Amino acid sequence: MASLLAIIAAALQAGSFTLDKVILSIRGVNYRTYTGLSYPLIFAITLVVFLLVRPPFSLQLVSGHLMWFFLALIILSVVTNLIFYRALDHDRLGEIQTIDLFGNLPTILVATFLFNDERNLFIIVPAMVASCALVWAHWQHHRLVIARGTVPFVVWTVIGHPLAASVSKLLLRAWNPIVLELMRSGAMAVVLGFIFSHEIKKASLRTDLLLVITNILTTLAFILFYFSYQRLGIVHTTLLFSLQPILVYIASLVLLKEKLQPKKLVAFCIVLICIIVAQTMTAKPRGI
């Protein structure tokens, strides 16, 4: 059941990212407009979920070392979103989604080093193979083929992903995932809404409708993602969430008519095999 959380989250996030690229292709809409509008919407949607579910919440969650972990997560989240959506605004959807997984390998290594409960070889090995397959997909003519404007995103992916994952795991030891997403999205709504407040007026009715849909998807995806982090851990969730770029890549080919790249398709098939192997090796036998 816990594995299903990450799989559903991957599907929801794939749908959201596909819509994101559609929104960013609308005339007059750029990553500043998108970012300035999205997080207030995400906060509002998460607040509705919070009021419906009523998870436990205490002011002690924002005190002591937890407060510093939370502030670190906000800083990492703000920088990641700014760099990610700037790259997505200028590059192909399939390319960005594949590069996004460059952070998987360092995330796996850092999580394995820091947390004893992440050291399961039946999950670590398939996760590392899947991550290496995605790097191989970009290796052409003895070098990595990456658009120049996407380089900052690649660098931050390798650095930021492991840090954000580790901080999230530490917070989720005390925080309910819904509460964490509510607090995170609320803080980011204030910061990013303030930075891009002058861009919000550029949105149209069509943009607003698409933004509502995509942010419902991404809000639910993040909540399920955090539940998966809490129950399965970083490495297992990272491996299962590798399904997301497979779905996004298919969507980019079918809906956005992006160019088919056989090497990336092979890499994604390897990822899928790794997920199946890990699930099989870690499945608990049923009693007779």
Side-chain angles (χ1 to χ4, degrees):
M1 180 61 184
S3 298
L4 191 59
L5 297 175
I7 294 172
I8 295 174
L12 291 172
Q13 196 67 71
S16 176
F17 280 156
T18 304
L19 279 176
D20 288 346
K21 188 60 178 178
V22 173
I23 293 169
L24 289 169
S25 67
I26 297 174
R27 185 175 181 180
V29 178
N30 56 32
Y31 76 95
R32 300 180 186 88
T33 312
Y34 176 91
T35 307
L37 282 166
S38 284
Y39 270 94
L41 280 171
I42 291 173
F43 173 70
I45 296 164
T46 310
L47 181 59
V48 171
V49 176
F50 175 82
L51 294 174
L52 290 173
V53 178
R54 300 282 183 171
F57 176 75
S58 170
L59 290 177
Q60 292 181 349
L61 295 175
V62 287
S63 63
H65 65 280
L66 290 175
M67 179 187 69
W68 294 110
F69 286 146
F70 178 67
L71 290 175
L73 180 62
I74 296 305
I75 293 171
L76 290 167
S77 296
V78 168
V79 175
T80 297
N81 275 269
L82 291 176
I83 293 178
F84 174 83
Y85 284 107
R86 182 179 182 275
L88 183 60
D89 196 16
H90 295 92
D91 212 336
R92 297 188 304 273
L93 177 61
E95 187 77 8
I96 292 300
Q97 283 301 294
T98 304
I99 292 173
D100 191 41
L101 286 185
F102 274 31
N104 280 12
L105 188 57
T107 298
I108 293 165
L109 294 174
V110 170
T112 303
F113 176 76
L114 292 178
F115 306 106
N116 290 331
D117 60 344
E118 298 285 354
R119 297 168 188 171
N120 185 338
L121 287 177
F122 291 126
I123 298 179
I124 293 172
V125 173
M128 293 181 68
V129 170
S131 300
C132 292
L134 291 165
V135 175
W136 166 80
H138 276 72
W139 192 267
Q140 297 180 23
H141 306 296
H142 307 293
R143 64 189 180 92
L144 284 176
V145 179
I146 299 172
R148 182 177 297 179
T150 310
V151 171
F153 174 59
V154 177
V155 174
W156 181 253
T157 294
V158 173
I159 297 172
H161 278 206
L163 294 175
S166 299
V167 172
S168 297
K169 183 179 177 75
L170 293 171
L171 285 169
L172 287 166
R173 287 177 172 176
W175 292 41
N176 179 277
I178 297 174
V179 173
L180 178 57
E181 180 56 13
L182 180 69
M183 298 291 287
R184 187 186 78 96
S185 61
M188 293 184 68
V190 172
V191 175
L192 296 174
F194 175 77
I195 293 174
F196 298 126
S197 58
H198 60 288
E199 296 282 343
I200 294 177
K201 61 183 179 181
K202 295 181 180 180
S204 63
L205 182 61
R206 179 189 175 195
T207 307
D208 291 342
L209 179 60
L210 290 175
L211 277 169
V212 169
I213 296 172
T214 191
N215 284 307
I216 288 174
L217 295 176
T218 200
T219 299
L220 296 176
F222 257 103
I223 291 173
L224 293 177
F225 181 77
Y226 282 145
F227 270 112
S228 181
Y229 255 24
Q230 194 178 60
R231 299 182 184 185
L232 294 176
I234 294 173
V235 178
H236 200 168
T237 299
T238 299
L239 175 59
L240 291 172
F241 216 72
S242 298
L243 283 171
Q244 173 198 310
I246 297 175
L247 299 173
V248 173
Y249 186 61
I250 293 171
S252 69
L253 294 175
V254 175
L255 300 178
L256 304 180
K257 308 302 181 183
E258 294 191 4
K259 185 179 179 181
L260 175 65
Q261 299 181 16
K263 200 171 184 179
K264 289 188 177 64
L265 194 60
V266 171
F268 289 149
C269 289
I270 295 172
V271 169
L272 188 58
I273 293 171
C274 289
I275 291 172
I276 294 171
V277 170
Q279 289 299 104
T280 303
M281 296 299 293
T282 57
K284 295 182 180 180
R286 296 181 180 180
I288 298 176

